[in-house]
Amino acid sequence: MKKYCLIIVVLLLDCNQEKNNNNKSATVVKTEESKAETVDLIVYDYNTLEPLLNKKDGKVYVINFWATWCAPCVKELPYFETLNKEYQSKNVEVILVSLDFPKQYEKKLKPFIVNKNLKSRVVALNDVDSNTWIPKVNKDWSGAIPVTLIYKNDKRAFYEKSFNLEELKKEVNKFLN
Amino acid sequence: MKKTVKLMLLTAIVFGVWSFTKTEKAIDNGYKVGDYVKDFKLENIDGKMVSMSDFEKAKGFIITFTCNTCPYAVAYEDRIEALNKMYEEKGYLVIAIMPNNVKVKPEDGMKYMRARAEEKGFTFPYLMDEGQRVYPQFGATKTPHIYVVKKTDKGNMVKYIGAIDDNYQNADEVKNKYVEDAVNALLNGKEVNVTETKAIGCSIKV
């Protein structure tokens, strides 16, 4: 019984914390523009991105393809951020591959990275010949985003869908011993 | 008190499971090249209902799932209009269908579709997939998503599925015009060379 109450108290505290965070981010916005200029964004084409999708170093990589204009992508980003933070010690790394248009890198993507305080590695993929590279990521991918690739050495799983935190953890756990 | 807490927890669990299953929606079925397309009857921006069977003289259709709000769809608006201008008279007209749930994307609602069509001067029907029943039949997953169908004695047969061309960023740097190539082949009585292509797009909002 006490345990249940404790859980609820924790949940309530959690909500409060979120509120505080929101207030904090409001003050960050002011300096957002100047900070965005300092964001180092590596832009890949598919050939140079491919090695990131095929490492064999025993680490679990969670690769999420997203864009700032994609509402379901933006909605699930916090879950990937949480995963990256909580699973760092378990040798898991999240890489967020942005498919924003190049002309939006300065205007939207970099300010977004600063504003949302993204801690996971964010890279950009700029390769218009999607018919060539989409099937290389996964043969069943229709091209819709968000999609997520989880891999460790030769074991791979591909998800053309949105995640919540619980399910994301469940899928990543399958890659942990 | 104990009961209330249990009830609260139960509600939380039930709600959790519900939101979990909601994200699971995926489309595995849908038309493949060679399949026959079931006709639809959807409302156009002018308030009239439109079906493929309305166009008796058509040789086929360029069915285009698109919307107002997706940057990829917007990038292709002028090229979709150009396709209709190029092929309507030859017998292949564009029928655009907006598949998103307008409760999720209000800016894709009928009045916005009408405004966008007027602004861009669309000459093709721009239909609302009311109830979102048509796009799952096709197996469309994103906007833009194109199906070229050819009218035959047995019905409208899918001949091409995929992207309009291979450069969403710049129409001037396109190397492969997939839809044009497909329609040109069909008009010349030939088989379509590239029948399926992949492209990035915005997932259809359910």
Side-chain angles (χ1 to χ4, degrees), chain A residues 89-131:
Chain A
S89 56
K90 298 179 182 178
N91 206 21
V92 175
E93 185 183 349
V94 171
I95 300 176
L96 304 172
V97 181
S98 161
L99 289 163
D100 280 83
F101 291 12
K103 60 182 178 191
Q104 304 283 359
Y105 291 163
E106 300 300 323
K107 262 193 293 179
K108 279 194 81 177
L109 180 57
K110 287 185 178 182
F112 185 93
I113 294 168
V114 171
N115 193 24
K116 299 278 178 188
N117 200 15
L118 297 185
K119 299 288 186 207
S120 309
R121 184 169 12 156
V122 181
V123 301
L125 173 60
N126 178 25
D127 196 327
V128 291
D129 191 10
S130 44
N131 187 46

Side-chain angles (χ1 to χ4, degrees), chain B residues 124-142:
Chain B
F124 49 83
Y126 190 14
L127 314 179
M128 166 72 76
D129 188 1
E130 181 74 44
Q132 297 188 291
R133 291 194 189 91
V134 172
Y135 88 78
Q137 290 171 11
F138 276 80
T141 58
K142 60 189 190 291

Side-chain angles (χ1 to χ4, degrees), chain A:
Chain A
M1 174 61 196
K2 265 187 188 166
K3 240 190 223 169
Y4 290 147
C5 286
L6 191 70
I7 290 173
I8 288 167
V9 169
V10 169
L11 281 175
L12 289 173
L13 282 176
D14 222 31
C15 293
N16 277 335
Q17 216 168 5
E18 214 161 272
K19 259 188 204 160
N20 287 338
N21 281 346
N22 282 345
N23 289 340
K24 264 183 223 158
S25 68
T27 54
V28 170
V29 172
K30 280 182 193 165
T31 54
E32 177 197 315
E33 230 169 86
S34 52
K35 266 194 176 177
E37 286 168 15
T38 66
V39 174
D40 271 329
L41 182 72
I42 302 178
V43 182
Y44 294 92
D45 62 11
Y46 186 73
N47 284 338
T48 51
L49 179 78
E50 203 165 31
L52 273 185
L53 313 183
N54 294 285
K55 292 195 175 197
K56 312 240 179 203
D57 55 8
K59 203 176 197 179
V60 177
Y61 289 92
V62 180
I63 316 279
N64 176 250
F65 290 85
W66 70 290
T68 59
W69 48 259
C70 164
C73 306
V74 171
K75 192 180 163 197
E76 67 176 8
L77 271 187
Y79 312 137
F80 286 86
E81 282 285 286
T82 305
L83 183 85
N84 192 52
K85 193 176 160 199
E86 290 183 9
Y87 278 48
Q88 221 155 31
S89 56
K90 298 179 182 178
N91 206 21
V92 175
E93 185 183 349
V94 171
I95 300 176
L96 304 172
V97 181
S98 161
L99 289 163
D100 280 83
F101 291 12
K103 60 182 178 191
Q104 304 283 359
Y105 291 163
E106 300 300 323
K107 262 193 293 179
K108 279 194 81 177
L109 180 57
K110 287 185 178 182
F112 185 93
I113 294 168
V114 171
N115 193 24
K116 299 278 178 188
N117 200 15
L118 297 185
K119 299 288 186 207
S120 309
R121 184 169 12 156
V122 181
V123 301
L125 173 60
N126 178 25
D127 196 327
V128 291
D129 191 10
S130 44
N131 187 46
T132 303
W133 62 259
I134 285 174
K136 289 183 187 169
V137 177
N138 185 278
K139 65 174 174 50
D140 296 324
W141 182 10
S142 78
I145 55 171
V147 291
T148 301
L149 167 73
I150 304 175
Y151 80 92
K152 179 187 176 183
N153 298 333
D154 287 326
K155 187 183 175 190
R156 306 170 85 81
F158 185 78
Y159 309 86
E160 183 169 340
K161 54 173 285 193
S162 296
F163 272 108
N164 59 34
L165 182 58
E166 185 190 2
E167 209 193 351
L168 184 60
K169 283 183 177 177
K170 193 180 128 204
E171 292 305 317
V172 173
N173 285 339
K174 290 179 186 171
F175 285 78
L176 301 171
N177 300 322

Side-chain angles (χ1 to χ4, degrees), chain B:
Chain B
M1 174 58 188
K2 202 170 181 180
K3 260 190 185 171
T4 326
V5 174
K6 270 190 180 169
L7 194 69
M8 277 174 78
L9 278 174
L10 189 70
T11 318
I13 290 166
V14 168
F15 195 76
V17 170
W18 172 77
S19 61
F20 174 76
T21 48
K22 212 178 159 220
T23 59
E24 284 274 8
K25 215 167 188 172
I27 299 161
D28 294 321
N29 302 317
Y31 298 130
K32 305 274 182 294
V33 172
D35 286 351
Y36 292 101
V37 173
K38 196 178 158 215
D39 205 355
F40 43 76
K41 193 171 189 179
L42 297 173
E43 190 181 1
N44 193 6
I45 43 174
D46 63 5
K48 289 177 186 152
M49 302 303 282
V50 171
S51 299
M52 287 187 281
S53 57
D54 298 337
F55 303 94
E56 284 176 16
K57 286 179 184 164
K59 292 175 183 163
F61 303 92
I62 304 166
I63 312 276
T64 304
F65 290 92
T66 187
C67 69
N68 288 350
T69 53
C70 171
Y72 281 83
V74 171
Y76 272 110
E77 279 174 333
D78 292 339
R79 281 176 264 183
I80 295 167
E81 173 58 27
L83 280 173
N84 195 52
K85 282 221 174 75
M86 203 181 316
Y87 291 114
E88 190 183 12
E89 276 183 19
K90 294 177 180 168
Y92 276 81
L93 59 132
V94 170
I95 298 180
I97 301 175
M98 203 301 292
N100 287 338
N101 182 348
V102 295
K103 286 193 185 113
V104 179
K105 281 275 174 192
E107 307 92 328
D108 279 326
M110 192 50 113
K111 72 171 182 187
Y112 296 98
M113 286 165 58
R114 200 175 293 130
R116 193 74 189 145
E118 267 172 33
E119 192 184 327
K120 299 298 292 183
F122 290 164
T123 55
F124 49 83
Y126 190 14
L127 314 179
M128 166 72 76
D129 188 1
E130 181 74 44
Q132 297 188 291
R133 291 194 189 91
V134 172
Y135 88 78
Q137 290 171 11
F138 276 80
T141 58
K142 60 189 190 291
T143 54
H145 203 152
I146 321 294
Y147 292 74
V148 175
V149 303
K150 182 192 176 188
K151 203 189 266 187
T152 71
D153 293 341
K154 287 186 190 165
N156 292 303
M157 187 194 263
V158 178
K159 290 292 186 181
Y160 171 81
I161 302 174
I164 291 175
D165 57 43
D166 64 1
N167 194 324
Y168 58 87
Q169 284 177 20
N170 190 343
D172 296 331
E173 286 175 15
V174 169
K175 292 190 193 85
N176 293 293
K177 298 183 174 184
Y178 303 124
V179 168
E180 280 187 37
D181 290 347
V183 176
N184 286 340
L186 294 170
L187 285 170
N188 291 323
K190 290 180 184 154
E191 280 306 308
V192 175
N193 213 354
V194 179
T195 55
E196 232 171 305
T197 59
K198 298 285 178 73
I200 295 295
C202 307
S203 56
I204 289 171
K205 306 297 178 287
V206 292

